[in-house]
């Protein structure tokens, strides 16, 4: 990607999509920020299939933060680190510990990073009958206390965002009382929310399956929306790309939530068969989603949503996969930003449905928008090709020996 090629590409794009759209796309790519979760760098993956972890994976929080700081130095896409309470702030995997969170915040600061979204962990030891829907009062209480602690950490040490994902659900019809489960979930959420500081935004994530295979207590955005509404104005919906039935029109969910002025968050990843948690790919779905996010003005500014990469891959080299995700997000964002909505609207008025579709596809599928992303990186002062810079940097060799 030499400078001449970038310049020529920008000129061509301006000619086709309009000067303003191209400048807008460069600016929005420049300002897009996304949180990196600590767990994306860790030993996840493999499972019962060979127990493989790629060379150089991070073995402790210090190493995870080193890797996130390195990724930030190459991309400039944000200094916020998302954490999971029982993975990052706990001695025993059962209770959260405020003092450990203070230490992790300090470790972040030493590396020029900050604590981002705090995620209470509802799915480790003792959650086999659920967390907030557990029939055991003491189990529910333990998780409520962890949620309240999460709210305190989010406000005092983090960026005031709390992300809640519950593994609650069931494997077989008849196993649990679906209505009672929903009510327990709602009551425990209300109990927690009352003690979460006002400044904190509590985002409720939904997932249609896993670990529940027959039911999950919060299966879809509608249920998240209902629960968020019953909590109050500081609660919202958390969308994870991997958590829907196949073929779900996720951009329409986004459009609806923006129309309803709901505060939301987004977990990016790519899925094929299930919740695969693969690195993000710059496919058209991603561009269509970004189109709604750009149009809805929630990428930057006052109504900005909370963005995170939720990736936990098996085979892939961690840093390589995260840099690929960031690149894919920026490419998708650039595609979305150059769509000529005014022209599409004119076509709509004349009921030119195929032409409208073709014009949309010209931006979101056919255009080569890499020069926009490259230009944004030049203006930001980060490498034009972060993957290449990483491969040439010697960082990977270094971490394989740590
Ligand atoms: C659950 O599948 C999820 O998407 C939630 O966001 C969790 O916090 C995360 O993955 C890590 O397990
Ligand atoms: Mn998620």
């Amino acid at each position: 990607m030499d400078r001449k090629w970038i310049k020529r590409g920008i000129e061509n794009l301006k000619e086709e999509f309009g000067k303003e759209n191209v400048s807008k796309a460069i600016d929005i790519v420049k300002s897009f920020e996304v949180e990196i979760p600590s767990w994306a760098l860790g030993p996840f993956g493999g499972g019962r299939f060979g127990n493989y972890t790629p060379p150089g994976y991070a073995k402790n929080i210090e190493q995870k933060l080193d890797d996130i700081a390195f990724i930030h130095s190459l991309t400039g896409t944000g200094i916020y680190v998302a954490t999971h309470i029982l993975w990052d702030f706990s001695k025993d995997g059962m209770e959260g510990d405020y003092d450990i969170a203070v230490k992790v915040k300090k470790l972040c600061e030493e590396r020029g990073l900050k604590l981002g979204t705090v995620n209470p962990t509802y799915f480790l030891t003792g959650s086999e009958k659920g967390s907030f829907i557990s029939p055991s009062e003491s189990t529910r209480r333990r998780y409520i206390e962890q949620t309240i602690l999460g709210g305190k950490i989010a406000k005092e040490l983090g960026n005031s965002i709390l992300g809640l994902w519950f593994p609650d659900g069931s494997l077989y019809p008849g196993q649990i009382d679906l209505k009672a489960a929903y009510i327990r979930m709602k009551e425990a959420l209300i109990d927690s929310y009352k003690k979460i500081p006002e400044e904190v935004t509590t985002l409720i994530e939904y997932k249609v399956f896993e670990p529940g295979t027959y039911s999950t207590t919060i299966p879809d955005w509608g249920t998240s929306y209902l629960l968020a509404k019953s909590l109050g104005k500081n609660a919202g919906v958390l969308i994870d790309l991997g958590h829907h039935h196949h073929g779900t029109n996720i951009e329409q969910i986004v459009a609806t939530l923006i129309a309803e002025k709901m505060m939301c968050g987004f977990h990016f990843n790519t899925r094929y068969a299930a919740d695969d948690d693969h690195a993000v790919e710059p496919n058209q779905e991603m561009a269509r989603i970004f189109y709604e996010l750009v149009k809805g003005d929630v990428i930057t500014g006052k109504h900005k949503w909370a963005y995170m990469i939720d990736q936990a891959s098996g085979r892939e080299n961690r840093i390589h996969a995260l840099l690929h995700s960031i690149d894919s997000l920026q490419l998708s964002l650039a595609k979305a930003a150059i769509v000529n909505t005014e022209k599409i609207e004119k076509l709509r008025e004349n009921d030119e449905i195929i032409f409208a579709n073709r014009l949309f596809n010209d931006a979101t599928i056919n255009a080569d928008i890499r020069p926009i992303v490259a230009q944004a990186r030049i203006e930001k002062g980060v490498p034009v090709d972060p993957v290449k810079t990483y491969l040439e940097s010697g960082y990977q060799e270094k971490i394989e020996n740590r």
Side-chain angles (χ1 to χ4, degrees):
M1 265 192 258
D2 69 31
R3 301 277 163 134
K4 264 197 206 146
W5 179 84
I6 296 169
K7 204 164 167 246
R8 216 170 38 237
I10 299 273
E11 289 314 315
N12 290 340
L13 288 164
K14 280 187 177 165
E15 209 176 288
E16 183 173 357
F17 297 98
K19 251 187 179 169
E20 255 177 44
N21 274 8
V22 173
S23 305
K24 184 181 85 185
I26 295 170
D27 284 346
I28 206 159
V29 171
K30 251 160 63 185
S31 53
F32 177 66
E33 292 195 348
V34 64
E35 288 190 27
I36 307 286
S38 62
W39 58 93
L41 284 308
F44 251 140
R48 69 190 193 279
F49 301 108
N51 198 23
Y52 175 76
T53 39
Y57 76 90
K59 297 176 191 71
N60 52 46
I61 189 71
E62 285 87 351
Q63 295 183 358
K64 289 175 185 177
L65 298 177
D66 287 344
D67 293 352
I68 294 173
F70 175 68
I71 290 170
H72 178 64
S73 73
L74 295 184
T75 60
T77 44
I79 54 174
Y80 287 99
V81 180
T83 49
H84 242 294
I85 295 184
L86 296 189
W87 282 334
D88 296 315
F89 309 146
S90 174
K91 284 195 195 85
D92 57 3
M94 292 295 279
E95 312 277 344
D97 183 325
Y98 187 85
D99 294 339
I100 299 181
V102 171
K103 281 189 199 133
V104 174
K105 178 187 158 77
K106 198 162 162 277
L107 293 172
C108 282
E109 283 167 357
E110 284 164 10
R111 292 161 176 79
L113 302 171
K114 287 186 175 176
L115 277 190
T117 302
V118 175
N119 297 270
T121 317
Y122 302 103
F123 48 82
L124 300 183
T125 309
S127 63
E128 62 283 353
K129 292 185 187 162
S131 60
F132 275 13
I133 72 159
S134 169
S136 149
E137 155 102 59
S138 64
T139 300
R140 295 202 300 275
R141 189 40 52 199
R142 178 164 70 84
Y143 286 116
I144 290 171
E145 290 308 324
Q146 199 203 134
T147 312
I148 296 166
L149 173 68
K152 182 176 154 73
I153 296 172
K155 181 193 158 194
E156 294 172 10
L157 311 173
N159 62 351
S160 288
I161 302 175
L162 196 60
L164 314 184
W165 174 70
F166 300 94
D168 300 53
S170 68
L171 304 176
Y172 298 97
Q175 181 188 336
I176 61 169
D177 178 330
L178 298 175
K179 182 176 153 207
Y182 176 77
I183 291 171
R184 268 195 209 130
M185 172 62 69
K186 185 170 169 178
E187 284 174 358
L189 275 167
I190 292 172
D191 259 18
S192 311
Y193 187 77
K194 276 188 210 146
K195 300 212 175 104
I196 292 172
E198 246 211 299
E199 300 80 346
V200 173
T201 301
T202 301
L203 298 173
I204 304 171
E205 187 169 353
Y206 58 92
K207 182 169 185 175
V208 69
F209 60 96
E210 202 194 46
T213 42
Y214 164 66
S215 76
T216 56
T217 306
I218 311 181
D220 51 31
W221 73 272
T223 311
S224 284
Y225 184 88
L226 280 176
L227 290 167
K229 279 283 178 194
S230 60
L231 294 186
K233 67 175 177 26
N234 299 325
V237 175
L238 185 48
I239 306 166
D240 182 311
L241 283 172
H243 292 188
H244 305 83
H245 285 295
H246 273 294
T248 300
N249 183 340
I250 298 172
E251 58 271 26
Q252 190 172 8
I253 297 172
V254 170
T256 306
L257 290 167
I258 291 173
E260 287 295 336
K261 298 192 171 44
M262 194 62 165
M263 173 60 202
C264 296
F266 221 109
H267 283 182
F268 294 110
N269 47 46
T270 299
R271 67 82 72 94
Y272 289 109
D275 179 34
D276 312 316
D277 279 348
H278 289 323
V280 183
E281 290 190 70
N283 53 34
Q284 202 212 10
E285 181 188 35
M286 209 57 82
R288 294 194 307 258
I289 291 169
F290 269 113
Y291 177 67
E292 294 304 328
L293 295 169
V294 171
K295 205 152 63 67
D297 201 19
V298 295
I299 297 280
T300 53
K302 205 168 143 232
H303 304 291
K304 182 174 176 251
W305 284 9
Y307 298 103
M308 188 189 99
I309 292 174
D310 193 0
Q311 193 171 310
S313 18
R315 288 276 318 282
E316 311 88 299
N317 176 308
R318 299 290 179 263
I319 295 175
H320 207 167
L322 280 160
L323 290 173
H324 177 50
S325 287
I326 291 171
D327 189 47
S328 302
L329 291 171
Q330 293 177 325
L331 291 168
S332 309
L333 180 53
K335 289 178 192 173
I338 57 163
V339 173
N340 199 324
T341 302
E342 260 174 48
K343 274 196 189 161
I344 292 185
E345 264 164 14
K346 288 214 177 83
L347 293 169
R348 277 183 200 145
E349 278 164 26
N350 299 325
D351 204 25
E352 291 285 6
I353 56 176
I354 295 296
F355 278 133
N357 170 246
R358 286 179 68 83
L359 202 58
F360 189 77
N361 292 347
D362 277 345
T364 56
I365 301 177
N366 303 321
D368 182 355
I369 39 65
R370 288 174 299 171
I372 291 180
V373 175
Q375 182 60 27
R377 289 177 184 150
I378 291 170
E379 292 181 20
K380 253 173 111 97
V382 293
V384 173
D385 185 344
V387 173
K388 188 162 167 270
T389 308
Y390 147 73
L391 291 172
E392 291 169 356
S393 69
Y395 188 82
Q396 185 61 33
E397 291 72 27
K398 196 177 99 193
I399 62 174
E400 287 180 18
N401 293 312
R402 65 187 171 187

